[in-house]
Amino acid sequence: MLSLSNVSVRNTLNDLTLTVKSDEFVLIVGANGAGKTTLFNVISGEIKPRSGKILFKNMDITDTPQHKRTKWIASVLQDPRLGTVGEMTILENLSLAYIRNGYKKLTGSTIAFFKDKLRILEMNLENRLYEQTRNLSGGQRQALSLIMATITDYDLLLLDEITASLDPKNSSMVMKIAEKIVALEKKACMLITHNTKHIESFGSRILEMRNGGLVQVS
Amino acid sequence: MISGQELITIVNVGLIFGIAAVGIYITFRTVNFADLTCDGSFVTGAAISSMLIKSGGNPYIAMAASLLAGGLSGAVTGFLNVKLKITDLLAGIVVAFMLYSVNLRIMNDSPNITFIDDITIFTNNNLSVTVLVILMPLVLGLIFLLSSGFGLKLRATGYNKKFASTSGINVGAMTVAGVVISNALVAFAGSLFSQYQGFCDISQGTGTLVTGLTAVVLGEKILPFKKAPLAILSCMLGAVLYRTVIYIALHSNTFGIRTQDLNLITGIVIILTIIIKRKREQNA
């Protein structure tokens, strides 16, 4: 589904080649500064590679801007403050995520749909729709980011060290939610992590970032 | 101290400036773009209306033309920032600077135009009624716009650009849209103000930003609406209050304040409001 061929980015990625299938779970590990986030930025469209090609469902998306790629590629970032807008309510945040692929009318049934989604988290957020997101804890905001990223259609989910800025308790909670969502959605997912526990629980394919390229670990 | 008639005039002029304040609210608060184009686009709006009205044109068409011209100047600023990567401050300053020449061209090389005898929207109409008739649909339209999906995207762009771009929002397009809407409103206010006064002056726009921003900050103090659509009402109220304060300050002999002191007072008001706001936030 996704394929990167000979992608290079100044000082980080070096002739990198990668293929991800449509229901595959890929773990990316590697030292700090190895270029894991850069790889995600190239896939999401935030960074344009200096050379190489990115194909998605056989379309060449190398020059497709980031805001157009969000139709297929959903992301959750490291910092919970970047995944949600603190100055907006939970409902407004969800609405923004909901209209990501094009304007849709918000009705009573949409709100019921949002509440159903939030119930997955078991955090009582479904009863706090009109509260500003900044009142939530880091873990809650990250959990909300996960719901937002997956609330509309997508084909590939990018999770970039989504627990890095959380304490151990929140970290394992968010990871459990991520596992739950990934299991429910059955779509392609790439996860960057440092945590060896994640490697055990998600299993499947593990790649290590080394010298600007990817090496199969298991 | 103020007669009823005077108060009505102050409120109406305040509301006209309130439209410019809403424009400034949209750049400074909604898309987070420090736009200084407005000092120029206010005059552009006034100049276009004045010329059209002086040549016997329909004042309502003149207002529409001002709205478009203001939007166009905003588009130039937005383009300079988004496409040519010039910082927001500099882009606005440069466009306002260039608009000075453009405005003089529009005004046929004359630094001021008088059209007191020509037909404006205020001719044969009650001032308050006219202002309300124009204001009501404008405010309702803006409230609707800001509460729509488009409005959400506009605000998300201002709050968090990184979030916006990972959420399928075209950050560049939204920024330009914000600056366009803002300057269209400012030019519209310019058109209304020049019609109310019956003349247009090349330096009429100086201080639009500072007075508008003062109105925004004052409005946020009195009606601290968290919801962006309702904040439009705060801007309007802030502008009226600002006008009233200035009127009282200038017309009371007790303080010994003169017209020349206007900029000094405005500056002090805006500085004080910002300091008080920050102190409150620190204590909260």
Side-chain angles (χ1 to χ4, degrees):
Chain A
M1 181 183 59
L2 172 76
S3 101
L4 279 70
S5 47
N6 305 100
V7 168
S8 292
V9 173
R10 232 186 114 143
N11 297 332
T12 40
L13 307 185
N14 188 11
D15 258 350
L16 180 139
T17 296
L18 165 74
T19 318
V20 179
K21 290 190 211 108
S22 60
D23 56 350
E24 201 170 22
F25 195 95
V26 182
L27 269 167
I28 312 275
V29 294
N32 280 333
K36 304 186 295 291
T37 299
T38 308
L39 170 67
F40 272 23
N41 285 341
V42 165
I43 297 173
S44 72
E46 192 175 333
I47 296 179
K48 257 195 189 159
R50 193 167 54 168
S51 61
K53 228 179 198 181
I54 309 164
L55 293 181
F56 196 85
K57 288 180 158 176
N58 299 322
M59 288 177 287
D60 186 345
I61 60 161
T62 318
D63 294 315
T64 309
Q66 183 176 19
H67 65 91
K68 288 195 176 146
R69 291 193 203 180
T70 55
K71 258 179 242 150
W72 321 295
I73 300 168
S75 331
V76 180
L77 309 169
Q78 231 179 75
D79 187 344
R81 283 169 302 177
L82 292 179
T84 49
V85 183
E87 294 86 349
M88 287 186 175
T89 62
I90 296 180
L91 179 62
E92 286 173 325
N93 272 284
L94 286 166
S95 310
L96 270 169
Y98 184 67
I99 57 172
R100 187 173 65 211
N101 297 348
Y103 290 113
K104 280 178 248 178
K105 224 179 178 162
L106 296 183
T107 58
S109 65
T110 328
I111 291 177
F113 168 70
F114 288 167
K115 286 187 173 176
D116 280 343
K117 285 277 178 188
L118 289 175
R119 267 185 210 108
I120 301 175
L121 305 180
E122 296 167 22
M123 287 174 172
N124 194 34
L125 292 186
E126 60 273 17
N127 296 320
R128 296 171 68 184
L129 279 179
Y130 298 95
E131 253 183 71
Q132 297 222 319
T133 320
R134 73 165 105 212
N135 296 341
L136 306 183
S137 73
Q140 286 173 323
R141 277 180 85 163
Q142 201 63 319
L144 179 62
S145 307
L146 272 164
I147 294 292
M148 285 164 62
T150 54
I151 206 161
T152 42
D153 278 343
Y154 66 92
D155 300 292
L156 171 67
L157 178 63
L158 300 178
L159 305 176
D160 183 1
E161 287 196 64
I162 54 169
T163 59
S165 56
L166 304 176
D167 61 59
K169 200 179 144 210
N170 273 311
S171 166
S172 69
M173 172 207 63
V174 166
M175 221 50 223
K176 270 200 190 102
I177 291 165
E179 280 178 56
K180 203 166 161 182
I181 290 173
V182 168
L184 275 172
E185 302 269 329
K186 297 189 181 69
K187 284 178 181 158
C189 178
M190 294 176 73
L191 171 79
I192 294 179
T193 186
H194 278 298
N195 194 328
T196 45
K197 262 195 217 149
H198 301 161
I199 300 171
E200 283 159 23
S201 60
F202 281 102
S204 84
R205 189 174 160 207
I206 303 169
L207 300 173
E208 191 186 339
M209 197 92 202
R210 216 183 279 163
N211 303 326
L214 287 165
V215 186
Q216 185 90 21
V217 178
S218 73
Chain B
M1 198 156 57
I2 310 176
S3 73
Q5 192 55 45
E6 279 172 330
L7 191 68
I8 290 170
T9 312
I10 295 168
V11 169
N12 284 307
V13 174
L15 289 173
I16 292 174
F17 276 95
I19 299 172
V22 172
I24 285 154
Y25 172 84
I26 288 174
T27 41
F28 275 74
R29 292 286 193 262
T30 309
V31 286
N32 197 11
F33 187 106
D35 179 37
L36 301 186
T37 319
C38 40
D39 281 25
S41 55
F42 187 86
V43 184
T44 308
I48 287 189
S49 283
S50 309
M51 291 310 280
L52 286 174
I53 289 169
K54 209 173 163 62
S55 60
N58 180 314
Y60 293 96
I61 293 175
M63 276 153 62
S66 299
L67 199 73
L68 284 176
L72 190 66
S73 11
V76 176
T77 306
F79 175 82
L80 291 182
N81 175 252
V82 171
K83 289 289 170 200
L84 305 184
K85 311 284 176 212
I86 296 172
T87 56
D88 50 357
L89 273 174
L90 190 61
I93 290 172
V94 168
V95 173
F97 184 73
M98 293 191 296
L99 278 177
Y100 188 85
S101 303
V102 175
N103 293 339
L104 270 176
R105 283 260 179 185
I106 296 171
M107 293 159 77
N108 224 347
D109 300 335
S110 153
N112 46 59
I113 300 162
T114 315
F115 54 100
I116 289 177
D117 302 327
D118 296 282
I119 295 169
T120 70
I121 54 162
F122 298 112
T123 317
N124 304 324
N125 287 324
N126 181 298
L127 175 65
S128 308
V129 174
T130 316
V131 169
L132 277 181
V133 163
I134 290 180
L135 222 55
M136 285 303 247
L138 192 73
V139 168
L140 288 177
L142 283 167
I143 289 178
F144 174 76
L145 186 78
L146 284 180
S147 358
S148 68
F150 172 80
L152 274 180
K153 289 185 174 186
L154 209 59
R155 286 161 57 206
T157 303
Y159 285 133
N160 190 336
K161 290 199 166 51
K162 179 106 180 165
F163 167 85
S165 44
T166 53
S167 303
I169 297 171
N170 186 343
V171 172
M174 282 298 147
T175 307
V176 174
V179 185
V180 166
I181 296 170
S182 164
N183 282 287
L185 289 173
V186 170
F188 189 76
S191 165
L192 279 177
F193 186 62
S194 68
Q195 291 192 52
Y196 166 71
Q197 282 198 314
F199 80 88
C200 161
D201 189 281
I202 189 70
S203 59
Q204 214 163 21
T206 313
T208 306
L209 171 83
V210 181
T211 52
L213 203 55
T214 311
V216 172
V217 178
L218 279 176
E220 285 169 343
K221 283 242 84 68
I222 320 160
L223 288 181
F225 284 129
K226 277 272 176 344
K227 287 189 181 242
L230 289 177
I232 288 179
L233 300 176
S234 309
C235 296
M236 288 286 175
L237 186 72
V240 171
L241 184 75
Y242 169 73
R243 283 275 142 190
T244 315
V245 170
I246 293 298
Y247 187 89
I248 293 171
L250 292 181
H251 286 78
S252 63
N253 300 320
T254 33
F255 303 119
I257 295 168
R258 293 177 299 165
T259 320
Q260 294 91 310
D261 302 327
L262 187 66
N263 288 8
L264 190 67
I265 301 166
T266 308
I268 292 170
V269 168
I270 194 166
I271 292 167
L272 283 179
T273 335
I274 291 171
I275 293 173
I276 294 168
K277 194 180 167 195
R278 192 175 302 153
K279 279 263 185 278
R280 280 235 187 112
E281 280 169 359
Q282 279 165 355
N283 294 337

